[in-house]
Amino acid sequence: MNTAHNTMDAWTGRIDPEPDSPRWHQVIAPFATAAAAGAVLLGFACDEGVRRNQGRPGAAAAPAAIRKALAGLAWHRSGPAYDAGDVVCADGDLDGAQARLAEKLAAVLAGGHFPLVLGGGHEVAFGTWQGLAAHLEGNGEHAPRIGIVNLDAHFDLRDPAHAHSSGTPFAQIAEAAAARGWPFRYACLGVSRAANTRALFHRAAELDVLMREDREITPVTLPEVRAALDAFIADCEHLYLTIDLDVLPAGEAPGVSAPAARGVPLALLEELLEPLRDSGKLRVADLAELNPEYDIDQRTARIAARLVHLLTLNG
């Protein structure tokens, strides 16, 4: 793993005088191989895929911004949490950075931990999936039913034959799963029809993707969306959750690589995240596309930190 700096330096903040008032920065510890099972944060400081996909570069600075926003949040976990540093892509070698992320992630999973990867562009997804796949293969699973749940305005199913980017990870995963003889189960919730071509909708249909557009996720329709998600969860043995912050409205999350004109509000997204978290099947999660350069008053970083808090609340 390439580590650009000591990421533990980010964990600072206020200390309250009342008893039983810890915050994240007071509890989180450096990750060590023999550590007791807990939640492990691992940064992916990379926006090479965003650059290739003609998005706004800047997501490489996201892991540091998320740590800063998370440091002062109240601590409500019973189990430990660790910081495993950053995997860095500083030389344009995206495939190499994804491979290093996968290697580190597989080791974290082997220790019985719940890893949460802080991207980075959405190219993080291929590295995350590779790490989970390597872990399951190491456990002797020959055709695991991995369900990928992507909260995103984009399918990210572009043809990877031209170039690997932040727009291709789930097409790459589909190819990698097919090469192993594994099923490909993919749910993409929050898709913007305005931001995805007809070709991408056709590809999603060919791959039997469970999809819900942004305009289809409302307070009225939420029970139906949750029922569809529950059925998807029931049909899987393992879950991989990936959250592209551009699924949120630009007013809530301005600091992303590709701001959404409509999006799905955080209040509705949290209703979809809780059943995933509580399913007993969630093995790994990642956050993608925070771009601190365009953030306003840390709004997007604060949402990312809240999502980390929500996903790690149990344990």
Side-chain angles (χ1 to χ4, degrees):
M1 181 182 70
N2 291 358
T3 302
H5 57 278
N6 179 12
T7 55
M8 290 305 298
D9 293 342
W11 299 105
T12 62
R14 65 177 289 173
I15 297 176
D16 295 311
E18 297 87 359
D20 196 23
S21 300
R23 298 178 183 273
W24 270 77
H25 71 90
Q26 295 171 267
V27 181
I28 196 162
F31 178 70
T33 303
V40 178
L41 304 184
L42 174 60
F44 186 66
C46 175
D47 53 18
E48 173 64 18
V50 174
R51 184 191 65 76
R52 296 182 187 182
N53 202 33
Q54 302 179 44
R56 304 192 297 186
I66 297 173
R67 288 184 179 96
K68 180 179 179 181
L70 183 60
L73 293 193
W75 177 264
H76 288 279
R77 283 177 52 80
S78 56
Y82 309 101
D83 186 344
D86 286 346
V87 172
V88 178
C89 179
D91 51 8
D93 181 11
L94 177 56
D95 293 345
Q98 290 168 324
R100 292 194 301 273
L101 173 61
E103 181 180 5
K104 180 65 175 177
L105 197 59
V108 170
L109 286 164
H113 304 282
F114 171 62
L116 206 162
V117 184
L118 311 177
H122 216 170
E123 60 267 28
V124 67
F126 189 52
T128 299
W129 184 88
Q130 285 180 303
L132 177 59
H135 170 67
L136 296 177
E137 285 176 321
N139 284 349
E141 298 197 35
H142 300 296
R145 297 197 306 276
I146 302 172
I148 303 166
V149 179
N150 181 25
L151 304 183
D152 198 340
H154 307 91
F155 286 120
D156 290 340
L157 285 169
R158 294 181 184 276
D159 186 354
H162 303 294
H164 295 171
S165 75
S166 62
T168 64
F170 302 105
Q172 291 175 260
I173 292 170
E175 290 182 353
R180 290 170 167 84
W182 294 4
F184 178 67
R185 289 177 166 84
Y186 178 36
C188 190
L189 309 179
V191 174
S192 166
R193 185 166 289 269
N196 294 265
T197 63
R198 285 182 295 186
L200 291 172
F201 272 93
H202 291 324
R203 188 166 299 147
E206 290 169 358
L207 291 169
D208 196 25
V209 176
L210 169 64
M211 67 179 87
R212 291 293 186 275
E213 293 184 37
D214 47 11
R215 61 191 178 88
E216 295 177 314
I217 304 177
T218 69
V220 173
T221 63
L222 193 62
E224 183 278 328
V225 177
R226 280 199 58 163
L229 182 59
D230 287 343
F232 180 87
I233 292 171
D235 193 42
C236 299
E237 297 172 294
H238 308 285
L239 294 174
Y240 158 36
L241 169 66
T242 180
I243 305 172
D244 188 322
L245 294 166
D246 71 19
V247 72
L248 292 149
E252 290 188 22
V256 295
S257 302
R262 179 182 177 120
V264 181
L266 178 64
L268 297 182
L269 292 180
E270 288 185 335
E271 293 289 327
L272 301 176
L273 290 174
E274 289 175 356
L276 290 162
R277 180 196 64 195
D278 299 339
S279 66
K281 298 180 178 181
L282 185 60
R283 307 293 179 241
V284 62
D286 60 37
L287 300 173
E289 303 286 355
L290 167 62
N291 190 328
E293 183 176 346
Y294 297 95
D295 211 358
I296 300 172
D297 195 29
Q298 293 185 290
R299 286 183 205 167
T300 319
R302 292 175 192 274
I303 285 178
R306 181 180 173 92
L307 292 172
V308 173
H309 173 83
L310 173 69
L311 292 173
T312 59
L313 198 55
N314 291 355

